[in-house]
Amino acid sequence: MGRVAGKVALVTGAASGIGRACAEVLAREGASVVLTDVQGSGEDVAAGIVKAGGKARFVGHDVTSESEWKSIVAGIEKAEGRLDVLVNNAGIAVAGLIHELSLDEWRRQMAVNVDGVFLGVKSSLPLMRQTSKAEVGKAGSIVNISSIAGLRGAANLSAYCTSKGAVRLFTKSVAIECAAMQDGIRCNSVHPGLIETPIWGQVVPGSNEPMDLDAAAAMRVPVRRKGWPEDIAKVVLFLASDDSGYMTGEEVVVDGGMTVGSV
Ligand SMILES: NC(=O)c1ccc[n+]([C@@H]2O[C@H](COP(=O)([O-])OP(=O)(O)OC[C@H]3O[C@@H](n4cnc5c(N)ncnc54)[C@H](O)[C@@H]3O)[C@@H](O)[C@H]2O)c1
């Protein structure tokens, strides 16, 4: 039996990077996974999971659209009949100096990283509550992907840091509200450090050079390596599973020690 066998999981931003790894790991551990993304290549990721013997399907989805969220959750209710796990992973990184950032860029950052997470939780909770038996440690689990940028500031990344800080505190509010309602649903945030994914193509302001993650990791990560999407997906699996049944509102940092200290 897999660690999330019998559960239905929805993973946003699952066409690439961390979301893709989350979908693959959850499916490998027995979940039936609904992958969503603005990129149609999520279809190939779902097909790969099915080919490997897992259960998965892909739906095109812009997380900033409330009507799309509604139709995806309605589709899950119809097709899978339940929703146990929501991984709010889709995200973008808008880089730029504060005095050069346009209000449109700022709003785009908040729309995807903050509104997208709010809409995900808002749209999914009714079906998750229906699914939940309010059995401590066995009910639904929401995992929001924040960042170490949600724990501290960074030059050139003010909008991104602000958005990820919002995800961190929204997570705690969801956790407390669900606890207050005694619905058994837990909500935790994950804070990755330097993880090798295409997002780094977006976050090198004022430069055409791609970010050299190996060089950055050698300098800034105590364990002296960059992370891989699976490093995050394994932690998401734990938070999605009943093994973390007594954890809620927690912020789990997965960064090779980067925010702990320097060596
Ligand atoms: N890679 C890192 O080092 C790192 C570190 C900390 C946090 N994160 C966070 O991890 C999450 C995943 O990022 P990643 O590194 O895998 O990057 P990625 O670019 O590989 O994946 C992000 C995915 O989100 C999708 N997406 C973007 N806008 C969307 C929208 N409006 N609706 C639906 N899908 C959308 C993209 O198409 C893409 O598939 C993000 O929230 C990111 O902020 C990444």
Side-chain angles (χ1 to χ4, degrees), residues 85-99:
V85 175
L86 168 66
V87 183
N88 277 311
N89 163 79
I92 58 170
V94 173
L97 295 170
I98 295 164
H99 66 277

Side-chain angles (χ1 to χ4, degrees), residues 13-19 36-39 61-64 89-92 108 112-113 145-148 160 164 192-200 202:
S16 170
I18 292 169
T36 79
D37 206 294
V38 279
Q39 290 189 68
H61 177 206
D62 180 340
V63 292
T64 65
N89 163 79
I92 58 170
R108 177 76 193 137
V112 178
N113 289 17
I145 306 299
S146 177
S147 169
I148 57 169
Y160 184 71
K164 292 301 187 180
L194 301 181
I195 313 299
E196 178 69 64
T197 76
I199 207 171
W200 286 100
Q202 302 169 29

